[in-house]
Amino acid sequence: MAEEKKTTRKKIHAADTMNRIMADYFYGLNEAATTGKRKVAWCTSVGPAELLQALGFAVHFPENHAAMLGATRMSTDLIPAANAIGYSPDICSYLTADIGAYLSGITPLAKAYPGIKSVPKPDVLVYNTNQCRDVQDWMAWYSKKLGVPSIGVTSPKNVNEVTDAHIDDVTRQIEALIPTLEGIAGVKLDMDRLREAVSLSRECTELWKQVLETAKASPAPITFFDGTIHMGPAVVLRGTQQAIDYYKVLLAELEQRIRDGVAAVDGESSRIYWEGMPVWGRLRQHSELFANLKSTVLASTYCSSWIFPSFDGNDPIRSMAKAYLELFIVRSDRYKEKYIKEMIEKFRIDGIIYHDAKTCPYNSNSRYGLPGRVEADTGVPSLVISGDLNDLRCVSDEQTKTNVEAFIEQIAEGR
Amino acid sequence: MTTPVFVGLDIGSSRTKVAVIDADREVLGHAVRKSGTDFTATAAACLDESLEMAGFRRDGIASAISTGYGRANVAFVTTRHKTEIGCLSRWGRDRFHGAITIIDIGGQDNKVIKLDPDGRRAGFKMNRKCAAGTGAFLEEMSMRLDIPLEAMDGLARQSQEMVKLGSYCTVFSATEVLENIRHGKKVPDIVKGLFYSVVRRVLEMDSHAGRVVMTGGVVAHNPYIVEMAGEMTGRPVLFPELPQLAGAIGAALYALDEADPIGIRNDIPAGETDG
């Protein structure tokens, strides 16, 4: 293969709008925490954010903060501080990076948003173990450290079909949080506000889905790497109008790209599905690695995990429970295989890359034979790369590069 | 000489390998040297040595392809490169007709590559970020045992009662080795245990039905490993000619492909099928 001119990533113009609303969000959180005008809740990524919005909390998402630590490549230096107090290098590197940052008095927010000095001090910590057990342990550390309550939902895992029994269970757990949260918020839950928040989340989720599905076009107008950045509002601002307004802007730009035949990767010659977490500290390198091979990573489980089709403003709490349970990460391999096969078909995928993240078993779906089963059923080749979401000590750039180049060669030669 | 030659340069993390082939895919010259710290100088020395063996000069090179970790460090001869996995597959397709698994044990990593009945790559795996089962593991252990690397094969063959090592961590294995020395175990038995560990690590990377061939520097210098792999899989494992050069020959074959885009020569039956 000839040495080729390095490809640069194409800027998505809506990013400027996104940066503005993300800045507003972080400054709003900071104001809430520093002035005490609003109570602050920390919420795990698919925790009951809509309930917190409806109760008037300013909501901080520790996983979002941890991803920022990864993307700014600060995490690898901070993780050892958490390791040193007994949090193993083998557990979630979001947790260890975030706690390490707190112990070191460091936050990427301070650099990105002048005037912000620290993460917003919480009044309550709210988790949902639908992601993993680590989020509960993570909030437990802050609870002890900061003397604030940590409450949450203990979710079923490895679910084949989401049944009424599962939904009843989680619904009751969400309902049980309300009195405590009302006490901290100092207001009674207004069901109309909750209905509105859930409806807004639903609208946001539908738009985000449409954004991701623009990648069905050939060439795709957006990559997975773009998606990991542009999902920010879907993560931290779901349940708000700002997120909806943003995705309308982004969707319009991507639809225009399709009409104009503008590709995210010029000369797209293969279409790749990414299964697992991004390597946050290598987003740019990975994006360029694939672009230089004229390969587009255009769909992923990760970005699609913020699509919640079950949100229903008419039945807010029960539909929240259902949405939180239907999540990919909550499901059995039987479901996951079916899901990935549907994605292969929908996006006309030529190859799947499974990221086996050293510290995130819950998002590493290559450990129980799934890639082999999907490959046998579909004939679509797959590659497992070893790495990590936040701990770059677990990442080998040269191995990743060799593996990816060989995989794209294999796809090309297989045609 | 008027007919041109085709060159493959495999700049590995441990050794640099160069192969020179002619239009009939015959290997005319080859060389292997420690890669050292100056990949370009080592590659140049290897290139000249292999060209001399072939009876050619640099101006006789029709086309060249590089591979390996230092593949971008040989701009003086080529800027075109392929992955090691691609080159080993190309070599396997040329040398063995039909489906085969190639197990390559290199200095820094292992690769298991499966070719389908048409000789196309059906899939591949590389070791995780871990020295287990690589040349680096044996190098570390030869240092610990204070025996030269080249003496290991002969020692392993003398073993009467192999020592079994349980861990796949190089550091833990070193501790196990020291423990066995303390308990008076014989060096040949420990060395065979180390070989066994290497073979186990590479065999457990994938399932192995059908034919298997082993390549790489570790295999070239320790052919007993191939015999042990055969015993462990219950059927012979192929030991090819020039196992350490397989990647370089594959790169040279790619160079020939480029010079002969129609690919007529790819259909010539290979003379060498099972080494």
Side-chain angles (χ1 to χ4, degrees):
Chain A
M1 154 192 334
E3 281 287 326
E4 284 152 7
K5 194 167 165 280
K6 293 281 177 207
T7 307
T8 50
R9 293 194 291 179
K10 280 188 195 155
K11 182 179 163 64
I12 292 178
H13 298 291
D16 294 338
T17 309
M18 181 185 70
N19 292 339
R20 215 164 35 244
I21 66 167
M22 292 298 279
D24 289 347
Y25 160 72
F26 286 116
Y27 280 119
L29 259 179
N30 188 58
E31 192 189 352
T34 52
T35 64
K37 280 184 190 164
R38 286 171 76 194
K39 298 288 184 185
V40 175
W42 287 16
C43 184
T44 61
S45 60
V46 189
E50 292 74 16
L51 179 60
L52 299 170
Q53 307 273 13
L55 282 162
F57 284 100
V59 187
H60 168 77
F61 293 86
E63 281 140 290
N64 171 251
H65 187 251
M68 288 175 78
L69 287 163
T72 51
R73 288 174 297 285
M74 297 165 79
S75 53
T76 305
D77 292 335
L78 298 168
I79 288 167
N83 299 155
I85 62 160
Y87 286 80
S88 163
D90 290 334
I91 66 164
C92 171
S93 59
Y94 267 5
L95 179 162
T96 50
D98 188 65
I99 290 179
Y102 191 88
L103 289 168
S104 310
I106 287 173
T107 172
L109 294 173
K111 196 173 173 194
Y113 305 106
I116 295 181
K117 291 190 170 58
S118 66
V119 288
K121 187 179 179 309
D123 296 289
V124 64
L125 307 155
V126 185
Y127 60 82
N128 186 342
T129 61
N130 53 2
Q131 296 293 316
C132 55
R133 65 158 279 178
D134 298 61
V135 294
Q136 187 177 3
D137 296 290
W138 186 352
M139 295 307 106
W141 185 84
Y142 279 108
S143 177
K144 193 157 192 294
K145 183 81 181 169
L146 303 174
V148 293
S150 175
I151 58 174
V153 172
T154 308
S155 178
K157 295 287 285 178
N158 285 28
V159 173
N160 273 326
E161 303 300 328
V162 176
T163 64
D164 281 344
H166 294 122
I167 299 167
D168 290 346
D169 169 17
V170 173
T171 300
R172 279 199 295 272
Q173 290 194 58
I174 295 171
E175 285 167 348
L177 300 176
I178 294 171
T180 307
L181 291 172
E182 285 177 333
I184 295 165
V187 293
K188 278 293 204 191
L189 175 64
D190 176 344
M191 282 307 282
D192 286 336
R193 278 190 74 180
L194 181 61
R195 284 190 194 96
E196 189 192 351
V198 170
S199 297
L200 290 171
S201 270
R202 169 68 184 266
E203 205 177 336
C204 170
T205 218
E206 280 173 3
L207 282 161
W208 177 236
K209 183 170 188 250
Q210 287 178 54
V211 163
L212 293 178
E213 290 193 348
T214 59
K216 288 195 293 187
S218 192
I222 185 171
T223 70
F224 160 66
F225 306 105
D226 298 320
T228 60
I229 302 300
H230 288 269
M231 68 194 278
V235 175
V236 302
L237 287 167
R238 67 174 212 263
T240 71
Q241 186 62 42
Q242 293 101 304
I244 292 163
D245 294 343
Y246 173 63
Y247 287 119
K248 285 180 181 164
V249 172
L250 177 61
L251 183 61
E253 182 175 343
L254 296 174
E255 286 174 340
Q256 189 61 46
R257 274 192 176 186
I258 294 173
R259 282 192 292 276
D260 297 342
V262 174
V265 170
D266 285 330
E268 175 183 294
S269 62
S270 57
R271 297 166 64 84
I272 305 297
Y273 186 83
W274 185 283
E275 210 314 296
M277 297 291 290
V279 183
W280 286 110
R282 291 289 182 266
L283 280 185
R284 175 179 291 276
Q285 287 92 330
H286 287 176
S287 166
E288 289 175 356
L289 170 63
F290 284 94
N292 285 324
L293 296 167
K294 305 216 175 296
S295 177
T296 316
V297 184
L298 52 84
S300 68
T301 309
Y302 182 69
C303 289
S304 305
S305 289
W306 271 263
I307 296 171
F308 306 102
S310 287
F311 278 138
D312 179 359
N314 295 317
D315 191 4
I317 296 179
R318 199 173 166 78
S319 75
M320 283 160 61
K322 188 163 187 270
Y324 302 161
L325 278 161
E326 284 175 343
L327 208 58
F328 183 90
I329 199 168
V330 179
R331 312 301 288 278
S332 66
D333 266 21
R334 191 170 85 193
Y335 171 86
K336 288 175 180 175
E337 281 170 43
K338 183 167 165 280
Y339 178 94
I340 292 170
K341 284 189 244 176
E342 284 169 6
M343 294 296 260
I344 289 173
E345 199 161 324
K346 183 191 281 186
F347 289 95
R348 302 188 313 285
I349 296 298
D350 298 310
I352 307 176
I353 290 185
Y354 294 86
H355 173 204
D356 188 335
K358 168 79 172 157
T359 72
C360 189
Y362 305 95
N363 276 304
S364 298
N365 288 299
S366 56
R367 300 183 183 180
Y368 295 84
L370 183 145
R373 293 193 294 273
V374 171
E375 193 169 325
D377 283 356
T378 61
V380 174
S382 59
L383 169 71
V384 179
I385 57 168
S386 297
D388 195 54
L389 52 164
N390 257 13
D391 191 343
L392 295 178
R393 297 174 299 182
C394 304
V395 174
S396 164
D397 290 326
E398 191 55 40
Q399 275 220 2
T400 303
K401 189 164 181 266
T402 301
N403 270 300
V404 168
E405 285 184 3
F407 187 56
I408 303 302
E409 265 178 9
Q410 179 188 330
I411 290 170
E413 289 175 5
R415 287 193 167 125
Chain B
M1 295 276 178
T2 51
T3 52
V5 287
F6 308 88
V7 173
L9 304 101
D10 179 1
I11 323 298
S13 59
S14 171
R15 298 289 190 278
T16 291
K17 290 82 65 178
V18 172
V20 175
I21 66 169
D22 64 15
D24 293 323
R25 298 155 28 258
E26 288 296 325
V27 178
L28 304 179
H30 52 86
V32 179
R33 288 180 184 224
K34 263 193 177 174
S35 294
T37 52
D38 188 342
F39 285 180
T40 307
T42 308
C46 268
L47 175 66
D48 291 336
E49 188 183 331
S50 51
L51 282 170
E52 191 183 337
M53 182 177 168
F56 279 81
R57 294 185 321 198
R58 286 194 192 184
D59 59 10
I61 301 173
S63 177
I65 295 276
S66 65
T67 187
Y69 283 112
R71 57 190 177 272
N73 293 76
V74 290
F76 68 94
V77 54
T78 184
T79 54
R80 296 186 311 280
H81 54 77
K82 290 274 184 184
T83 63
E84 305 100 281
I85 293 152
C87 291
L88 284 165
S89 308
R90 182 68 191 86
W91 168 84
R93 178 153 64 94
D94 187 75
R95 272 14 184 194
F96 306 93
H97 298 288
I100 193 160
T101 299
I102 303 165
I103 298 178
D104 184 81
I105 308 182
Q108 206 65 37
D109 53 41
N110 302 324
K111 303 164 195 86
V112 176
I113 304 162
K114 293 195 166 180
L115 303 185
D116 69 14
D118 297 323
R120 281 185 313 209
R121 223 181 315 171
F124 67 89
K125 284 183 181 169
M126 277 176 80
N127 60 311
R128 297 177 296 158
K129 302 169 301 294
C130 172
T134 68
F137 172 76
L138 289 180
E139 279 184 30
E140 168 75 17
M141 294 303 158
S142 80
M143 218 163 61
R144 298 275 180 154
L145 289 167
D146 199 19
I147 50 174
L149 258 179
E150 54 275 18
M152 289 183 107
D153 195 72
L155 282 167
R157 289 175 190 273
Q158 291 166 28
S159 169
Q160 300 287 322
E161 197 180 349
M162 184 183 82
V163 166
K164 263 199 167 180
L165 300 165
S167 175
Y168 61 62
C169 168
T170 302
V171 176
F172 288 178
S173 292
T175 313
E176 277 188 83
V177 164
L178 293 175
E179 200 181 326
N180 278 292
I181 292 170
R182 255 204 335 270
H183 285 97
K185 298 287 184 190
K186 292 179 183 149
V187 170
D189 293 336
I190 296 173
V191 173
K192 186 167 179 184
L194 293 170
F195 278 20
Y196 184 84
S197 166
V198 167
V199 178
R200 278 290 296 272
R201 298 292 86 83
V202 293
L203 289 180
E204 68 198 15
M205 283 168 67
D206 210 333
S207 55
H208 303 285
R211 291 189 300 170
V212 176
V213 62
M214 292 181 84
T215 60
V218 169
V219 168
H221 296 291
N222 304 286
Y224 191 42
I225 281 183
V226 180
E227 291 173 37
M228 289 176 70
E231 282 167 25
M232 287 160 73
T233 55
R235 57 187 192 282
V237 170
L238 305 177
F239 183 81
E241 199 180 331
L242 303 173
Q244 196 167 12
L245 270 297
I249 296 169
L253 288 163
Y254 269 130
L256 173 59
D257 293 342
E258 285 198 352
D260 174 31
I262 302 164
I264 296 166
R265 290 188 184 88
N266 295 345
D267 298 330
I268 298 171
E272 175 191 353
T273 55
D274 59 5

